[in-house]
């Protein structure tokens, strides 16, 4: 009777440990997939060109910087 009880106890403990390891591995797998999904969305955002309004504003800012640098250097435009 004692031997049967100890075998059942060890089996249940082993099954519980296996369940915990499986849950941890599944959690890690889901985290890795989320990380890869995030990396893919960031890559898409970097490869899409900015809207036209943003490009115009950027060109305007660059021109203003050139003028300010010229003023700072003493060059007359």
């Amino acid at each position: 009777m004692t031997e049967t009880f100890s075998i059942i106890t060890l089996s249940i403990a082993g099954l519980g440990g296996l369940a915990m390891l499986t849950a941890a591995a599944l959690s890690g797998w889901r985290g890795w997939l989320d990380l890869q999904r995030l990396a893919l969305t960031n890559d898409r955002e970097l490869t899409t060109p900015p809207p036209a309004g943003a490009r115009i504003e950027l060109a305007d800012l660059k021109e203003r910087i050139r003028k300010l640098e010229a003023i700072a250097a003493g060059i007359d435009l």
Side-chain angles (χ1 to χ4, degrees), residues 1 14 16-18 21 34-35 42 44 46 62 64 67-68 72 76-77:
M1 176 90 175
L18 183 63
L21 285 175
D34 288 341
L35 184 66
N42 284 343
R44 283 191 209 125
L46 292 176
K62 286 182 180 179
R64 289 175 68 187
K67 288 179 181 178
L68 289 173
D76 198 19
L77 296 175

Side-chain angles (χ1 to χ4, degrees), residues 1-7:
M1 176 90 175
T2 307
E3 186 177 328
T4 306
F5 182 70
S6 63
I7 289 175

Side-chain angles (χ1 to χ4, degrees), residues 18-32:
L18 183 63
M20 286 190 288
L21 285 175
T22 303
L26 182 60
S27 175
W29 175 253
R30 286 180 181 163
W32 183 82

Side-chain angles (χ1 to χ4, degrees), residues 49-66:
R55 287 185 293 210
I56 292 171
E57 287 180 21
L58 186 62
D60 185 45
L61 287 174
K62 286 182 180 179
E63 182 63 30
R64 289 175 68 187
I65 289 172
R66 277 191 220 112

